[in-house]
């Protein structure tokens, strides 16, 4: 048996254990969508009191759905650009590269804080074509090591709300500069959405600060003129949350999801966004 990995993370770093626990839990449900058995295996090897986070079934279903939709966008981009560079920012212990299993010509970069990357190295096997970068993504220098001669897919799942608001546009500007262009995909929350995440029990227990919100996706086009909005998935969009996924939620969460379809302000609490650059 492998030695358990003792994990001591705090704040935004600890939130990776929320998403990991959710994806692990969802993979064990009989109607799993994401089938993230990598997450389940990682959880089994980590010495941490996951029960304290209180990740419930609704969070499992919601976070698995978010990852699933970003996986769909990733596969779509890689089908069009088999020699792409993928920048997976704030990767935490997400197993996307294993779930997607990209072709041999894809260069994949997983980036997160150094201690998170060190943990990732201990938990997941090495893989050809994958480079791990231990850095705060807001540091300006690490971007210089990325190839600039290939289409670039930038993924940021559960990351940008933890970045200081004034740092987000310059970060996206640096990431999208130079090279032949590509796409950027991430989740974003309105001010109300950020308040709701802040008050989610699991996130509150990590003490993470939530800082960046987006009311209107076209705002970002103005802040980073290289970006052009391609797609927006809202919770009230059947492509974002199908009837089948809705049916997996508890009655209270289903009611809240339906409220999103009726009350416009609720409909915009959280979105998945895809931009071209
Ligand atoms: C909610 S977790 C999401 C992890 C992963 N993307 C997932 O969906 O499972 C947030 C992640 O963002 C990372 N993060 C937050 N701020 C960061 C920064 N400035 N630089 C690099 N990573 C950061 C945290 O360490 C953590 O891994």
């Amino acid at each position: 048996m492998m030695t358990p990995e003792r994990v001591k993370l705090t704040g935004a770093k600890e939130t990776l254990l929320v998403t990991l626990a959710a994806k692990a839990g969802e993979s064990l449900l009989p109607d799993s969508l994401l089938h993230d058995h990598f997450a389940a295996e990682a959880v089994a090897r980590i010495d941490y009191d996951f029960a304290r986070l209180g990740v419930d079934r609704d969070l499992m279903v919601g976070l698995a759905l978010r990852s699933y939709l970003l996986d769909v966008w990733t596969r779509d981009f890689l089908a069009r650009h088999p020699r792409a560079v993928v920048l997976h920012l704030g990767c935490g212990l997400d197993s996307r590269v294993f779930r997607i299993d990209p072709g041999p010509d894809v260069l994949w970069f997983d980036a997160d804080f150094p201690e998170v990357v060190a943990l990732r190295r201990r938990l997941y096997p090495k893989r050809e074509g994958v480079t791990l970068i231990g850095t705060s993504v807001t540091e300006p220098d690490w971007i210089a090591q990325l190839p600039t001669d290939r289409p670039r897919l930038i993924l940021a799942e559960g990351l940008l709300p933890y970045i200081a608001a004034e740092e987000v546009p310059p970060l996206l500007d640096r990431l999208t500069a130079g090279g032949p262009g590509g796409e950027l995909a991430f989740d974003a929350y309105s001010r109300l959405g950020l308040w709701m995440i802040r008050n989610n029990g699991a996130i509150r227990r990590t003490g993470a600060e939530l800082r960046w919100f987006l009311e209107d996706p076209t705002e970002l086009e103005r802040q980073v003129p290289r970006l052009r909005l391609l797609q927006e998935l809202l919770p009230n969009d059947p492509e974002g949350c199908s009837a089948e996924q809705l049916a997996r939620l508890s009655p209270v969460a289903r009611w809240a999801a339906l409220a999103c379809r009726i009350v416009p302000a609720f409909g915009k609490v959280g979105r998945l966004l895809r931009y071209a650059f």
Side-chain angles (χ1 to χ4, degrees), residues 172-227:
L172 299 181
D173 184 60
R174 284 196 295 279
L175 287 165
T176 55
E183 289 178 17
L184 163 69
F186 58 93
D187 49 319
Y189 305 87
S190 66
R191 190 192 289 269
L192 175 63
L194 220 58
W195 179 86
M196 288 162 75
I197 300 175
R198 205 173 277 132
N199 286 291
N200 172 280
I203 298 296
R204 211 178 43 233
R205 276 171 213 117
T206 67
E209 243 185 272
L210 285 134
R211 307 193 278 184
W212 181 74
F213 65 87
L214 186 68
E215 290 296 338
D216 171 1
T218 62
E219 246 173 77
L220 207 57
E221 291 178 319
R222 288 188 288 277
Q223 293 167 347
V224 187
R226 208 174 288 117
L227 294 180

Side-chain angles (χ1 to χ4, degrees), residues 9-20 23 63 66-67 70 88-96 111-113 116 135-139 156-160 162-163 171 203 211:
L9 298 170
T10 55
K13 291 172 201 157
E14 195 174 2
T15 64
L16 73 86
L17 298 172
V18 176
T19 49
L20 184 74
K23 292 174 211 183
L63 289 176
R66 180 174 88 179
S67 279
L70 286 170
H88 189 208
L89 307 179
C91 58
L93 292 177
D94 178 84
S95 69
R96 175 157 291 117
D112 207 303
F113 288 114
V116 173
T135 182
S136 166
V137 295
T138 56
E139 289 295 324
E157 179 179 6
L159 167 71
L160 297 179
Y162 299 105
I163 306 280
L171 169 64
I203 298 296
R211 307 193 278 184

Side-chain angles (χ1 to χ4, degrees), residues 44-180:
R45 285 193 51 205
I46 291 175
D47 179 7
Y48 174 85
D49 177 16
F50 282 98
R52 77 179 275 276
L53 297 174
V55 171
D56 64 15
R57 189 189 152 100
D58 288 331
L59 198 57
M60 290 177 193
V61 170
L63 289 176
L65 177 60
R66 180 174 88 179
S67 279
Y68 175 86
L69 293 168
L70 286 170
D71 282 1
V72 169
W73 282 355
T74 305
R75 288 198 182 91
D76 172 63
F77 187 86
L78 294 182
R80 285 177 284 129
H81 304 287
R83 283 178 42 78
V85 163
V86 179
L87 302 185
H88 189 208
L89 307 179
C91 58
L93 292 177
D94 178 84
S95 69
R96 175 157 291 117
V97 72
F98 301 107
R99 294 196 302 269
I100 298 284
D101 191 18
D105 295 330
V106 171
L107 294 178
W108 187 292
F109 294 82
D110 275 325
D112 207 303
F113 288 114
E115 58 189 295
V116 173
V117 162
L119 177 63
R120 201 178 163 90
R121 280 188 209 285
R122 297 199 294 276
L123 286 168
Y124 290 121
K126 265 194 181 161
R127 195 190 146 103
E128 188 111 4
V130 178
T131 306
L132 300 182
I133 305 179
T135 182
S136 166
V137 295
T138 56
E139 289 295 324
D141 295 343
W142 68 276
I143 294 173
Q145 65 186 284
L146 302 172
T148 53
D149 59 343
R150 293 162 174 243
R152 185 177 284 187
L153 174 65
I154 305 166
L155 299 167
E157 179 179 6
L159 167 71
L160 297 179
Y162 299 105
I163 306 280
E166 68 280 6
E167 294 198 53
V168 171
L171 169 64
L172 299 181
D173 184 60
R174 284 196 295 279
L175 287 165
T176 55

Side-chain angles (χ1 to χ4, degrees), residues 206-263:
T206 67
E209 243 185 272
L210 285 134
R211 307 193 278 184
W212 181 74
F213 65 87
L214 186 68
E215 290 296 338
D216 171 1
T218 62
E219 246 173 77
L220 207 57
E221 291 178 319
R222 288 188 288 277
Q223 293 167 347
V224 187
R226 208 174 288 117
L227 294 180
R228 188 167 43 82
L229 183 63
L230 289 178
Q231 197 176 354
E232 173 184 17
L233 282 181
L234 293 160
N236 57 6
D237 187 332
E239 203 187 325
C241 184
S242 63
E244 200 184 342
Q245 292 310 310
L246 203 60
R248 298 175 72 204
L249 297 171
S250 68
V252 172
R254 209 175 311 141
W255 180 88
L258 290 172
C260 288
R261 299 193 173 179
I262 302 163
V263 185

